[in-house]
Amino acid sequence: MPADFVREVDYVARLARLFLEPEEKEHMAGQLSDILENARRIQELDTTGIEPTSHVTELPAVLREDRVRPSLPLERALQNAPRRKEGFVRVPRITLSEEEQE
Amino acid sequence: MNLYEKTASELSRMLQSREVSAVEVTTSFLERIDQVDPHLKAFITRTAEQALDTAGRIDYFRQQGEQLHPLAGVPVAVKDNISTMDLRTTCASLILKDYIPPFDATVITALKSAGMPILGKTNLDEFAMGSSTENSAFFPTRNPWNLDRVPGGSSGGSAVAVAAGMAPLALGSDTGGSIRQPASLCRVTGLRPTYGRVSRYGLVAFASSLDQIGIISMNALDSALFLNLIAGYDPLDSTSLPGEVPDYTAGLEPGLEKLRVGVIRYGSTEGFDPEVTEMVQKAASLLEKSGANVGEVSLPLTDYGLSAYYLIAPAEASSNLGRYDGVRYGFCAGGDSIEEMFNRTRGKGFGPEVKRRIMIGTYALSAGYYDAYYLKAMKVRTLVRRSYEEAFKKYDLLLGAASPTPAFKLGEKTGDPLQMYLSDVCNITDSLAGVPSLALPGGAHTSGLPLGLQLTAPPLREKLLLQMACFFEKYSEQAPRRPVLDFIEGGSSDEL
């Protein structure tokens, strides 16, 4: 299982956008396979015809009145951004030019 | 007796009768923090100046004869995953080490408008994921009953702050036992209200369908006073419950006649300290002698519930923690591409337990595994809820333990996540069912460490829990007590 599972860990870490050091991966593979093995015991329960519970309150979706209200000022909203410029957050480039795409 | 040894309700009375000033009260707690917190490490951030400022304002208003809230001038400690405007809120994570919220959580707005001085922000397991407060990215907190032991978690800092007389009241959060388990390990009272009874707005999200803000205090009356302030519908939290909030302090004198109490027989007693089982039996016979109808109830899904919880909570966490990407707030590790920036920021910013949960959650939600893990766990949750509905047809109240063992040693379970997860076994199914639950002192282990009882009631029956806690405070021999802190020169006082 573990050797196989390291590949699985690689895949899941990619989905979760989570960089793991090689030794971290190996350690985690062992722990995750134990945890998931324990979790699998819920398969023993018969849940035929049982609806899933995603929430306990059974409240209907609440819609508020569509009214203009004050929101966080731009400065406040950006105060924690690690990189910002002229009222925007700054990130590495995420789009490619047409030539680059080819 | 020092002011810091008083309960919140005593302080409230003394403040209202002007026997003491809010500045005197706050100063007493701040001095106590200075004296003992270097050893216990309950606080991540202390806010002495702001606390004294609030206290001074309250004293002024009182002099002016203004009508004040009963808790005006009663100080409070706040778990560091509850947003406080312009005050660092770290979640005990490197990824939020320097995060300054631009807004207050609804509970914080409430305690500010009541005039409660905030003493500081308390330590926790990173993002409230853990049962020992050892997963804090900054430092572990120590149990005041034995410094080599954990205080429980994740609200370990809040439990220790109250237990050691550093705050008369504290706010915590409970997803799968994070208020009740540390309360029981530190011999204080911990209340997890019904899911939705207290607004979650501004509580940093871990598992949204389970997270609930609650209270740590020295007794039930103090919890009632505080719950009066923070309970109620909040338009900013669409999962908060509409409807009237009763006066929780009224009619706390318990009448036990005809009360039907179900004593929980746990599915597997594996890992249960025999003295814990004994404590529950003793409490049950006390209730019986006092006129309650006591029966036995087995919640056969306890073990399955634990397994389901450790899929549902990580699944929700993996989604909720997607927001920490180094763009809008928090730590950013940089990178040449956005992909690299995300990966590195999260890889460096999150600690091991948070990474484990994100991985489990992402796995359980991923294509091919969703049905077998996440969907199945949600169906098991339905079965758990039904088992509670069945139990509450027969009983008004359930009685059990708040933790299977007394406080364990620091480092004892950090290498084995599954063992750590098992320390929440008494608490988790209540959370899955969304029902209110309260931990209270239940006695002492032969080792001298505290043991805790847990009471569970149907939705919105917090009053019944508080009444029963009052009963135990009055009639059991387990009156609230504080630890002797012998690391302080000359020891410290003990009996409340």
Side-chain angles (χ1 to χ4, degrees), chain B residues 153-182:
Chain B
S154 67
S155 310
S158 285
V160 170
V162 173
M166 293 189 278
L169 288 171
L171 283 176
S173 69
D174 188 312
T175 303
S178 280
I179 285 176
R180 294 160 287 155
Q181 185 255 14

Side-chain angles (χ1 to χ4, degrees), chain A residues 8 16-19 24 31 38 40-45 47 50-51 53 55 58 76 79-82, chain B residues 86 100 195 209 304 307 326-330 343 346-347 355-356 369 372-373 376 378 382 385-386:
Chain A
E8 199 90 35
R17 302 283 182 272
L18 193 59
F19 175 80
E24 228 179 337
Q31 291 179 329
N38 176 278
R40 268 193 294 277
R41 71 170 146 185
I42 60 174
Q43 304 302 337
E44 297 162 12
L45 286 174
T47 51
I50 302 291
E51 287 292 314
T53 294
H55 226 272
E58 289 166 7
R76 290 295 258 166
Q79 74 186 25
N80 283 287
Chain B
D86 297 333
I100 311 277
Y195 180 81
S209 80
Y304 293 113
S307 301
V327 177
R328 288 153 302 161
Y329 36 69
N343 283 323
R346 294 163 62 79
K355 286 182 185 172
R356 263 193 298 276
Y369 298 110
Y373 288 96
K376 181 82 182 180
M378 287 199 295
T382 306
R385 290 179 70 191
R386 286 190 187 166

Side-chain angles (χ1 to χ4, degrees), chain B residues 206-401:
Chain B
F206 155 19
S208 307
S209 80
L210 297 152
D211 294 343
Q212 184 58 61
I213 290 178
I215 295 167
I216 292 175
S217 67
M218 279 308 284
N219 63 32
L221 180 59
D222 287 6
S223 288
L225 252 181
F226 201 12
L227 188 59
N228 275 355
L229 175 67
I230 62 171
Y233 176 71
D234 176 13
L236 296 175
D237 173 7
S238 62
T239 61
S240 66
L241 297 171
E244 282 296 294
V245 177
D247 176 4
Y248 291 106
T249 61
L252 285 184
E253 280 305 307
L256 291 193
E257 298 78 37
K258 298 205 182 117
L259 187 79
R260 301 167 304 164
V261 180
V263 179
I264 298 171
R265 196 178 44 200
Y266 294 98
S268 91
T269 47
E270 197 199 330
F272 271 70
D273 188 299
E275 292 188 41
V276 169
T277 322
E278 215 176 285
M279 163 199 67
V280 175
Q281 287 312 323
K282 257 195 208 158
S285 22
L286 179 65
L287 289 177
E288 199 159 25
K289 268 191 288 187
S290 312
N293 289 327
V294 177
E296 225 179 40
V297 60
S298 79
L299 294 172
L301 295 169
T302 307
D303 292 344
Y304 293 113
L306 188 86
S307 301
Y309 173 89
Y310 279 102
L311 290 168
I312 293 170
E316 293 187 24
S318 73
S319 166
N320 272 326
L321 272 59
R323 70 191 67 180
Y324 304 105
D325 54 10
V327 177
R328 288 153 302 161
Y329 36 69
F331 164 77
C332 179
D336 293 334
S337 70
I338 191 120
E339 187 93 332
E340 192 191 343
M341 186 179 99
F342 289 163
N343 283 323
R344 287 178 37 156
T345 296
R346 294 163 62 79
K348 289 190 174 181
F350 291 134
E353 180 60 22
V354 174
K355 286 182 185 172
R356 263 193 298 276
R357 301 231 191 161
I358 290 174
M359 292 290 289
I360 296 167
T362 306
Y363 181 88
L365 290 172
S366 64
Y369 298 110
Y370 180 91
D371 285 1
Y373 288 96
Y374 182 59
L375 185 64
K376 181 82 182 180
M378 287 199 295
K379 290 178 178 175
V380 173
R381 188 173 186 183
T382 306
L383 295 177
V384 169
R385 290 179 70 191
R386 286 190 187 166
S387 72
Y388 274 79
E389 283 161 13
E390 283 308 308
F392 286 130
K393 279 180 192 160
K394 278 184 81 178
Y395 299 106
D396 302 310
L397 184 86
L398 304 179
L399 169 73

